[in-house]
Amino acid sequence: MTIAIPGKNILAEACGPLDPASGLDALIACVNARAPGLTFGLVLTERDWYRLGGVVDADGKRVSEDLRAWVEDEADGDVIDFVARFQDAGLQATALTGRTHFLSAPTGEGLMDFVQIEIEETQEMVERPLLVPGVIPDTVEDVIDPSDIRITSRRPLGDKHYRVRRVTPFAERMGDLTSQYTGDPRLARFLEEWSASSAADTTRFSAQWAMVEFSYLDSQGDHLHEVKLLTPHAPMVDNVDIRHLGDGADGERLADLVHGID
């Protein structure tokens, strides 16, 4: 049977309008209704991220969706001229806050036979004046993302909403992600060790781990891939204190610690 993987645009159109207040069950049901032959479930929710938003005027009317791109385009490297033109415009910088839900569904019996969907639950906030009266930033970057940020009266700009960020069929991506030349060697090693572990015999990899891919250019201009692994079990591992073992911890005590985590 051919499995139809739902496209990002289809999911965005169908599930984007859902009210996050209706809960994750409604979101998962919406995804599964657009994915016949697949059964998606929640792997984990990555909470409390923050990133730059856009620009609005004093009345909250949209000037730009992308703060960085707008400021860089308008300033064109001249922060003094930018301040002179916009000092009294009453412009406000916004920020996006939210969390990301990772859903996955198996597509076969193989380790990496699964599809992962990343859906952001996000809200835009009016965060600060873009320019502070009487203060001249040193650089354009100080306008975009000042280190001494002055948050005056953070307020919501619209309601929370869902945004489909990425749909990834990992069976098709693994060649690039683990390639000797372009991939992440740590991922290849981790997958080998997972396959050899007792966990691989009792649970699906995709039910225990979410994967976040980062693509970048190295100094030679080559496209490389890096993968971050996330797990709902992270709080337990983070709370493990190994300081009492000392620098010369023997194998038996280390084995006991690993067994406890397992």
Side-chain angles (χ1 to χ4, degrees):
M1 180 182 69
T2 301
I3 297 176
I5 297 173
K8 177 179 175 180
N9 291 340
I10 292 175
L11 291 175
E13 182 178 350
C15 305
L18 287 177
D19 183 355
S22 61
L24 284 178
D25 287 345
L27 176 64
I28 295 171
C30 179
V31 171
N32 281 323
R34 273 74 190 174
L38 295 174
T39 302
F40 282 91
L42 179 70
V43 180
L44 65 86
T45 295
E46 186 181 32
R47 299 180 181 274
D48 301 331
W49 49 254
Y50 161 100
R51 58 176 175 260
L52 298 176
V55 182
V56 297
D57 65 16
D59 298 321
K61 183 179 179 180
R62 176 72 61 190
V63 175
S64 174
E65 296 279 355
D66 190 327
L67 186 156
R68 176 174 294 279
W70 185 82
V71 171
E72 288 179 344
D73 183 62
E74 290 288 341
D76 195 23
D78 190 339
V79 69
I80 301 300
D81 176 70
F82 179 86
V83 171
R85 287 188 291 126
F86 295 105
Q87 179 77 77
D88 300 320
L91 298 179
Q92 305 283 311
T94 73
L96 298 176
T97 61
R99 52 186 185 166
T100 304
H101 306 294
F102 292 85
L103 313 180
S104 74
T107 58
E109 297 301 320
L111 179 69
M112 302 307 295
D113 289 342
F114 69 95
V115 178
Q116 177 181 280
I117 299 175
E118 299 171 44
I119 300 179
E120 296 179 341
E121 180 183 328
T122 184
Q123 185 169 36
E124 189 172 14
M125 311 289 288
V126 178
E127 187 172 63
R128 61 179 175 87
L130 184 64
L131 296 170
V132 178
V135 177
I136 299 179
D138 293 329
T139 66
V140 172
E141 186 63 30
D142 289 333
V143 177
I144 297 170
D145 194 11
S147 57
D148 57 341
I149 187 170
R150 295 175 173 84
I151 299 176
T152 53
S153 57
R154 178 178 286 170
R155 64 185 188 278
L157 185 66
D159 298 326
K160 291 183 179 180
H161 64 277
Y162 288 128
R163 174 178 176 265
V164 181
R165 181 172 178 84
R166 189 180 290 126
V167 178
T168 308
F170 274 104
E172 300 174 10
R173 292 289 301 129
M174 290 315 295
D176 288 334
L177 296 180
T178 59
S179 164
Q180 177 181 355
Y181 302 102
T182 64
D184 189 334
R186 298 169 302 171
L187 175 63
R189 175 176 175 177
F190 184 85
L191 295 178
E192 290 177 2
E193 295 183 351
W194 173 274
S195 297
S197 73
S198 59
D201 297 328
T202 58
T203 184
R204 293 191 65 91
F205 176 85
S206 59
Q208 305 298 330
W209 299 92
M211 300 174 64
V212 184
E213 177 186 347
F214 303 92
S215 298
Y216 62 97
L217 292 175
D218 68 2
S219 58
Q220 305 300 317
D222 294 325
H223 289 271
L224 301 179
H225 303 281
E226 182 176 333
V227 175
K228 179 181 179 181
L229 292 170
L230 305 174
T231 175
H233 308 299
M236 179 194 70
V237 178
D238 288 344
N239 289 332
V240 173
D241 187 355
I242 64 172
R243 290 174 296 180
H244 68 282
L245 296 177
D247 293 336
D250 58 43
E252 183 176 354
R253 284 191 291 167
L254 289 173
D256 287 342
L257 176 64
V258 173
H259 180 72
I261 294 173
D262 188 45

